[in-house]
Amino acid sequence: MADTYTQLYIHIVFAVKGRQRLIPKQHKEALHQYITRIITNKKQTLIRINSMPDHIHILIGMKPDVALSDLVRDIKANSSKFINNKGWVVGMFEWQEGFAAFCILILN
């Protein structure tokens, strides 16, 4: 086979450290846009993003040229810096260690 085609759909979930409710409604859109840029800059496809006050869900179309753990690390590290630089929370914002990821099978 001369060409290879792979498309992985991954549902990623991770939480605010201590499950604190630190993602207010008024900042959700800005956070989602920032995370979208991170994913796009890594040449992956954001399908859907949504957050609750204490966690976030991200559905991506992922190519196998990047490690999932590296992508999530970059999303969490950069979005934490973004939130802290904006001063949205009192003290230091952090995401909880680890994440959950589920591969989604799409049948035609």
Side-chain angles (χ1 to χ4, degrees):
M1 183 172 183
D3 293 322
T4 301
Y5 175 78
T6 305
Q7 182 61 69
L8 307 170
Y9 296 97
I10 308 290
H11 177 189
I12 303 163
V13 183
F14 51 88
V16 175
K17 188 171 185 177
R19 295 296 294 230
Q20 296 180 76
R21 300 172 59 84
L22 298 178
I23 305 172
K25 285 183 184 178
Q26 68 266 27
H27 298 309
K28 279 176 63 164
E29 187 64 30
L31 176 61
H32 294 176
Q33 289 174 356
Y34 187 80
I35 291 173
T36 298
R37 286 193 299 274
I38 295 168
I39 293 166
T40 302
N41 288 340
K42 296 291 181 182
K43 309 236 183 308
Q44 306 306 311
T45 304
L46 177 74
I47 297 169
R48 185 73 125 173
I49 186 169
N50 193 30
S51 57
M52 301 304 290
D54 65 347
H55 70 281
I56 192 162
H57 293 264
I58 305 169
L59 178 61
I60 60 171
M62 190 168 178
K63 298 174 188 142
D65 62 345
V66 95
L68 177 61
S69 58
D70 292 344
L71 179 63
V72 175
R73 179 201 60 218
D74 292 346
I75 293 169
K76 289 170 70 175
N78 289 304
S79 62
S80 291
K81 288 177 194 170
F82 174 76
I83 292 168
N84 286 317
N85 288 340
K86 292 287 186 182
W88 290 346
V89 299
V90 175
M92 185 67 83
F93 179 89
E94 293 179 70
W95 294 108
Q96 201 165 338
E97 265 190 57
F99 63 94
F102 308 92
C103 184
I104 297 174
L105 176 63
I106 298 177
L107 302 174
N108 291 327

